[in-house]
Amino acid sequence: MRTFLSLLARNRLALWGGVVLSVVVLLALITPLLPLAEPDVTDTANRFKPPFSEGALLGTDHLGRDLLSRLLWGTRLSLAVGFAAALIAATVGATIGIIAGFYGGRTDNVIMRGVDMLMAFPYILLALAIVAALGPGLLNALIAVAAVNVPFFARNIRGVTVSIAHKEFVDAARLAGMSNARIILFEILPNVLPVIVIAMSTTIGWMILETAGLSFLGLGSQPPQADLGSMLGEARAALITNPHTSIVPGAMILVIVMCINLLGDGVRDALDPRLKSGALSRPMPATAVDRAEVPAAQGDGLLAVQQLQTQFHVKDRVYRAVGGVDLTVEPGQCLGIIGESGSGKSVTALSIMGLVASPPGVITGGAVRFKGEDLIGAPYETLRSLRGDRVAYIFQDPLSTLHPLYTLGDQLIEAVQSHHRVARAEARRRAIELLTSVRIPNAESRVDSYPHELSGGMRQRVGIAMALANDPEVIIADEPTTALDVTVQAQILSLLDDLRRERGLAIIFITHDFGVVAQLCDRVAVMYAGRIVEEGPTKAILTAPAHPYTARLMACVPELGQGRRRLEAITGLPPVVDKLPAGCAFAERCIKTRDACRGGEIALAQSGARAVRCIDPDVALAETVA
Amino acid sequence: MAGYILKRLLSAIPVLLGITVIVFAIMALIPGDPATAILGSFATPENVEKLNRDLGLDKPLVAQYFIWLGNMLQGDFGQSFALNRPVIDELLERFGATLILAGTAFVLCSLFGVMAGVVSAARQYGFADKAITFVVLLGISIPSFFLGMMMILTFAVSLRWFPVSGMWPIYGARDLGALISHLTMPALALAVVATGVIARLSRSAMLEVLRQDFIRTARAKGVPERRVIWRHALRAAMVSIIPVLGIQAGFVLSGAVYVEIVFQWPGVGRMLVDAILKRDILLVQGGVVFVAACYVMFNIAVDVAQSLLDPRIKT
Ligand code: SF4
């Protein structure tokens, strides 16, 4: 409750709404005590006095009645009626909803059918029909507005009740021999009450608007009694000659409803946990960059990642997902990046083309050089023209990574047309060609299929075809075979390997599976807690791992083809990357840990083609260099 | 496709029957002798006798319902005693005006609502987002009748851009230009609330979609950002926006009542309010059933549109 209130208070607009609304409600409550003119006493000699005239702060209406007094009394009435309507709708609706949800079966069916029928009506029309039957009058308008809102509550509350009705504490109450009525009152009701309150807070504004509307039409409060709606309705005849008589009540309705909406939004935001974590932000077209200095270019690799640092900023916490990674690939080469989930391997891969979701991702240091040109912080258009053209991605689960509502053809054609001005027919021919090249049977007809019509393996082939669309020089494959079964996995791997040979592609292959690395990669980098702990030729590392972590990683995954395996065999968990320990990040789980390991930064020691970040490697690197 | 449409049409029959039952039940609430109550101030002995004959009001309720339903199926909605003409004639004449007003408002609110939602989501927390969010909040808080009155004051009386009210000029040609100048203000006033609701939902639908993996794929392909937003994301978000459009169509159609009163638009809504005040019950009954039935049909069209847009829906 405390956190809820402080969250609410943090929302400044909601706070203002609450304050203004409280003032209005307070004024309405104390209206009878205020020294106001009688609201219903007519004084035709003083008709239409303008605002700020003597004795009438807001002027007078067409019958010479004091507008301020009528406004406050009208506000009082409108608030009372709106609140009453909300209360009635909530009570009746919740009762119906709870009964339907609790008893289920036939009862539920019949009730919900009825509710659906009511919801098939255009809303205000139903209210009009009810008023037509009962006759005009404020009480009847209130009943009508409440009645048309009942289905809304019934449906909402039923949903919540259904989810509660089968929880253990309800079953326990049943076993204890509690009657249904008692279960509903003491077990169900307290749990659905918050939902009822939220639903009320979001609808009460509507109800005030609707009762005001009916009164405006002359179907609600009858003269001389007036709520805000009927004041507006009566003033309409003099709208052009004396607009202030219309503006005063209309503005009041606007203020009340707006404050209620502001407050209601604030309440909803404070209660919705998804908004708390900021998870509902949308990722920007390219990852945000905030780096102090740019490492100088060195060498002339095709693609070189230098000292890359990527962080996630969530509220006031900083997760160092990638903490200074160096990588290079050359044409025709395949580099594997291996590690557990959370090791930063995917974030490294996505950082290269600025595809890390941002917010919360921020690239805070390093450089990514493609043919010498730094891509980090490059203008969006530069990034875009390289993405999918020179550097292409293949992602993990192609069911969620392909657009569900476009045909394969459309998506392939788009990939081509994003970088080349070619006619659609030409692009389509290319699409079919691509599908054939990744060995999809019946490419001619498949091209018009939707992703959900394909098997997982076929979809991943489409993912690869899409990556090949513009003959890229680098392909970054982020666990492309993880979601697939073993045979399909092997097929996809050999397909990638063929492509590498035939087209001289450079491949960066992200995986957690040493079997895959063994089959495909020339070199491999092992990542742990956002950093590379060992790097070198695949063969050398496979025969003699130097870092204790690499050895353990290999021990859990003996060979290709055992399906999806996690790295359970290593005891303990990787460190949380928002508080990395000083020194070796693996120290908690290593069997050789000693004091020096935690002493401070351990450098990645280079020796020939291999490198390791450990003060006591399992093998001395110098020996293994052939 | 044709099969799907047929299926949806068949499934509408119970809903339509339900609507007639509800309207009939509401009208059965009227206390006292039904004929006299229905006729109200028109309860002359001849009228009472004619009504009893037409509706079988001396028979049991169930029989009355079926007589009423049977008559309606033959296009006979009864006689309006206040207007002294068949209800159906009055309805058909009025419905055109409402359809023009509500239809225009619906197009406006769909267009502006979705656009505002998309821009808002694409510029989340930016200036455009904040501005749109505030305007939208204002829009959903202002009663359409008050907004209409303020528009009359500003744009008709002060600026003289548009005529104050009505659908056609009293003198002069009834051409498209005249219609548009009369239609602009009421259609806008009617569209504002729905625009706000649609904008809010579109914004959250877009935010939801923009976090999906296939958006990242589109960006990884090098698709220009504008296309990512307006094609990839919007297309996927439409799947959850379209049902909202269907619901808002109901609000626009029935909210037309207020706007028709403020702008003296010769539509069904104004007719209904007049009929209620004059206790011309048969006209109310017929009008409500007619408009509700149109709305049900419109919602079928929405479902069909949805199935065209989403290949995953089995047709
Ligand atoms: S540095 Fe120490 S703790 Fe870390 S891996 Fe090497 S031996 Fe183990």
Side-chain angles (χ1 to χ4, degrees):
Chain A
M1 195 65 203
R2 282 274 289 285
T3 50
F4 166 72
L5 283 179
S6 73
L7 266 171
L8 191 60
R10 206 180 294 173
N11 187 333
R12 245 187 306 155
L13 278 175
L15 194 66
W16 273 110
V19 169
V20 175
L21 188 66
S22 314
V23 171
V24 171
V25 170
L26 193 74
L27 275 176
L29 283 177
I30 60 167
T31 300
L33 307 175
L34 295 176
L36 292 165
E38 278 296 313
D40 298 335
V41 173
T42 56
D43 175 11
T44 33
N46 284 315
R47 304 171 65 207
F48 292 128
K49 279 219 273 181
F52 308 113
S53 29
E54 267 230 37
L57 191 57
L58 292 178
T60 58
D61 72 357
H62 61 294
L63 295 176
R65 297 173 291 195
D66 181 52
L67 262 182
L68 177 64
S69 165
R70 283 181 74 71
L71 178 73
L72 288 179
W73 284 96
T75 304
R76 195 175 148 87
L77 196 56
S78 279
L79 283 175
V81 170
F83 191 71
L87 211 58
I88 294 173
T91 314
V92 178
T95 310
I96 294 175
I98 290 177
I99 290 175
F102 183 75
Y103 289 100
R106 281 278 295 279
T107 323
D108 185 26
N109 237 320
V110 171
I111 291 180
M112 290 326 284
R113 274 288 160 84
V115 165
D116 285 344
M117 293 286 171
L118 284 173
M119 286 187 132
F121 274 93
Y123 206 51
I124 299 160
L125 203 62
L126 191 59
L128 284 180
I130 295 173
V131 174
L134 299 177
L138 190 56
L139 189 64
N140 294 342
L142 191 160
I143 294 172
V145 169
V148 297
N149 279 293
V150 162
F152 166 80
F153 280 96
R155 182 178 276 193
N156 266 351
I157 303 302
R158 173 193 171 268
V160 184
T161 310
V162 166
S163 68
I164 294 176
H166 299 290
K167 290 239 168 92
E168 295 100 29
F169 65 90
V170 176
D171 290 337
R174 266 202 202 98
L175 287 176
M178 263 167 101
S179 70
N180 281 340
R182 285 191 54 142
I183 295 179
I184 288 178
L185 268 182
F186 297 112
E187 305 293 336
I188 306 272
L189 191 61
N191 283 294
V192 293
L193 211 55
V195 186
I196 300 179
V197 171
I198 295 178
M200 258 183 79
S201 78
T202 52
T203 46
I204 191 163
W206 274 110
M207 307 231 192
I208 290 177
L209 270 185
E210 280 150 19
T211 37
L214 289 177
S215 288
F216 172 79
L217 297 176
L219 306 177
S221 73
Q222 302 295 316
Q225 187 194 44
D227 68 356
L228 295 172
S230 58
M231 280 177 78
L232 198 53
E234 286 174 29
R236 197 169 64 87
L239 170 66
I240 294 171
T241 49
N242 289 284
H244 71 276
T245 52
S246 302
I247 293 174
V248 165
M252 186 54 120
I253 301 179
L254 176 60
V255 167
I256 293 175
V257 178
M258 189 143 169
C259 288
I260 291 177
N261 284 337
L262 279 171
L263 195 61
D265 286 359
V267 169
R268 207 198 44 216
D269 289 357
L271 289 179
D272 191 336
R274 285 197 307 173
L275 287 165
K276 268 186 218 160
S277 61
L280 256 189
S281 332
R282 56 96 189 74
M284 293 192 296
T287 311
V289 175
D290 177 18
R291 63 178 172 175
E293 49 194 290
V294 185
Q298 30 173 260
D300 47 12
L302 176 63
L303 181 73
V305 174
Q306 300 173 289
Q307 283 305 307
L308 178 73
Q309 296 187 26
T310 306
Q311 305 179 340
F312 292 107
H313 294 182
V314 180
K315 285 271 161 80
D316 19 287
R317 300 178 82 170
V318 173
Y319 296 86
R320 281 175 239 283
V322 180
V325 163
D326 293 87
L327 299 166
T328 50
V329 268
E330 301 299 339
Q333 212 182 48
C334 178
L335 169 70
I337 302 181
I338 191 165
E340 293 167 274
S341 20
S343 61
K345 57 190 194 303
S346 285
V347 181
T348 306
L350 292 173
S351 299
I352 294 175
M353 282 286 132
L355 288 172
V356 177
S358 166
V362 186
I363 295 177
T364 51
V368 171
R369 294 186 194 276
F370 178 73
K371 294 183 174 166
E373 186 190 3
D374 186 12
L375 299 183
I376 289 180
Y380 166 73
E381 190 48 37
T382 312
L383 269 182
R384 187 200 72 75
S385 65
L386 288 172
R387 284 177 182 175
D389 188 38
R390 300 296 87 216
V391 182
Y393 279 86
I394 305 171
F395 295 109
Q396 187 172 346
D397 171 16
L399 184 57
S400 64
T401 52
L402 291 175
H403 198 295
L405 306 179
Y406 288 116
T407 61
L408 308 182
D410 282 342
Q411 303 193 43
L412 287 165
I413 290 169
E414 186 183 39
V416 175
Q417 286 186 329
S418 291
H419 299 286
H420 297 99
R421 295 183 142 271
V422 289
R424 206 182 146 78
E426 170 68 31
R428 188 184 157 88
R429 219 167 312 136
R430 173 92 180 117
I432 295 171
E433 219 176 275
L434 284 164
L435 290 179
T436 318
S437 74
V438 292
R439 302 175 205 149
I440 288 187
N442 304 326
E444 310 265 330
S445 59
R446 272 298 176 206
V447 74
D448 293 318
S449 308
Y450 289 94
H452 70 277
E453 297 168 340
L454 271 65
S455 69
M458 282 299 148
R459 272 197 292 265
Q460 192 52 285
R461 282 164 196 260
V462 175
I464 296 174
M466 206 141 81
L468 295 174
N470 298 299
D471 276 319
E473 292 168 67
V474 182
I475 283 192
I476 300 172
D478 188 2
E479 307 214 36
T481 57
T482 312
L484 306 175
D485 70 55
V486 187
T487 15
V488 185
Q489 190 176 344
Q491 289 168 3
I492 298 280
L493 289 179
S494 73
L495 175 66
L496 276 173
D497 201 35
D498 291 352
L499 290 167
R500 172 172 71 103
R501 274 183 236 283
E502 287 161 21
R503 306 189 184 208
L505 273 172
I507 299 180
I508 297 180
F509 199 97
I510 320 291
T511 181
H512 60 262
D513 190 337
F514 253 113
V516 174
V517 169
Q519 196 190 351
L520 197 63
C521 304
D522 314 295
R523 275 169 49 242
V524 61
V526 183
M527 277 189 78
Y528 188 78
R531 313 184 85 175
I532 291 178
V533 292
E534 175 160 15
E535 200 201 337
T538 311
K539 244 208 195 121
I541 291 186
L542 282 179
T543 38
H547 197 280
Y549 175 66
T550 314
R552 300 273 287 279
L553 202 54
M554 282 166 59
C556 350
V557 188
E559 65 195 77
L560 172 70
Q562 301 305 303
R564 254 170 280 171
R565 280 141 308 173
R566 295 287 163 205
L567 307 153
E568 304 88 353
I570 307 176
T571 50
L573 289 168
V576 185
V577 283
D578 72 328
K579 29 182 184 281
L580 287 177
C584 178
F586 190 58
E588 282 303 312
R589 299 160 86 185
C590 184
I591 39 169
K592 297 201 289 185
T593 317
R594 54 183 98 138
D595 286 349
C597 300
R598 304 183 201 263
E601 182 72 22
I602 297 165
L604 189 66
Q606 192 83 30
S607 171
R610 295 188 62 174
V612 65
R613 194 190 294 277
C614 176
I615 52 169
D616 181 19
D618 290 351
V619 290
L621 288 190
E623 295 168 16
T624 68
V625 176
Chain B
M1 195 73 240
Y4 179 71
I5 296 176
L6 193 70
K7 215 168 70 190
R8 292 297 292 117
L9 282 175
L10 286 178
S11 74
I13 292 176
V15 180
L16 289 171
L17 283 178
I19 284 173
T20 59
V21 170
I22 290 171
V23 173
F24 186 80
I26 291 174
M27 294 305 159
L29 291 176
I30 302 174
D33 170 42
T36 319
I38 288 178
L39 290 169
S41 45
F42 308 97
T44 60
E46 310 92 80
N47 279 347
V48 170
E49 198 218 343
K50 182 176 180 325
L51 193 67
N52 272 330
R53 190 163 12 92
D54 284 356
L55 297 181
L57 290 175
D58 42 357
K59 301 205 172 81
L61 272 177
V62 179
Q64 285 178 34
Y65 169 73
F66 282 107
I67 293 175
W68 179 61
L69 187 66
N71 286 346
M72 276 198 301
L73 286 177
Q74 293 164 32
D76 175 10
F77 282 63
Q79 185 83 10
S80 159
F81 291 93
L83 303 168
N84 200 15
R85 67 184 296 204
V87 166
I88 188 73
D89 292 358
E90 178 73 7
L91 273 177
L92 290 178
E93 197 179 297
R94 294 285 196 136
F95 192 63
T98 297
L99 210 57
I100 291 176
L101 175 62
T104 313
F106 180 68
V107 171
L108 288 176
C109 71
S110 309
L111 223 61
F112 288 130
V114 171
M115 272 180 11
V118 171
V119 171
S120 212
R123 304 245 175 282
Q124 193 189 18
Y125 303 137
F127 176 75
D129 183 29
K130 284 184 180 140
I132 289 173
T133 306
F134 188 75
V135 172
V136 158
L137 187 78
L138 203 67
I140 60 172
S141 304
I142 198 165
S144 57
F145 41 93
F146 180 54
L147 178 64
M149 287 161 75
M150 293 302 107
M151 286 170 97
I152 290 179
L153 274 183
T154 319
F155 300 112
V157 178
S158 301
L159 297 171
R160 300 188 169 276
W161 288 354
F162 302 105
V164 172
S165 65
M167 183 168 173
W168 299 107
I170 300 169
Y171 309 104
R174 297 193 158 196
D175 56 10
L176 189 63
L179 179 62
I180 290 175
S181 80
H182 281 81
L183 179 61
T184 307
M185 285 202 301
L188 281 175
L190 181 52
V192 161
V193 176
T195 307
V197 176
I198 293 170
R200 285 188 146 200
L201 273 140
S202 304
R203 178 177 184 269
S204 54
M206 281 294 287
L207 286 179
E208 198 64 52
V209 167
L210 279 169
R211 294 163 52 220
Q212 305 281 323
D213 287 347
F214 58 80
I215 295 299
R216 190 184 58 194
T217 309
R219 285 173 172 161
K221 280 199 297 192
V223 176
E225 187 60 17
R226 189 174 298 178
R227 202 177 150 90
V228 171
I229 301 280
W230 291 96
R231 292 289 294 269
H232 288 249
L234 182 55
R235 173 74 186 265
M238 273 324 263
V239 171
S240 40
I241 294 175
I242 283 187
V244 177
L245 295 186
I247 295 171
Q248 287 309 307
F251 277 87
V252 169
L253 193 59
S254 54
V257 175
Y258 303 125
V259 175
E260 286 178 4
I261 296 273
V262 171
F263 290 93
Q264 311 207 348
W265 191 265
V268 175
R270 218 172 110 209
M271 176 202 83
L272 279 177
V273 175
D274 286 346
I276 293 172
L277 289 172
K278 288 184 190 147
R279 314 239 356 104
D280 190 352
I281 298 297
L282 283 181
L283 188 56
V284 177
Q285 221 174 12
V288 170
V289 169
F290 185 82
V291 175
C294 291
Y295 178 55
V296 170
M297 289 303 157
F298 179 80
N299 267 325
I300 293 178
V302 169
D303 282 351
V304 172
Q306 181 80 313
S307 76
L308 286 176
L309 204 74
D310 189 345
R312 292 167 300 182
I313 293 177
K314 291 211 173 61
T315 56

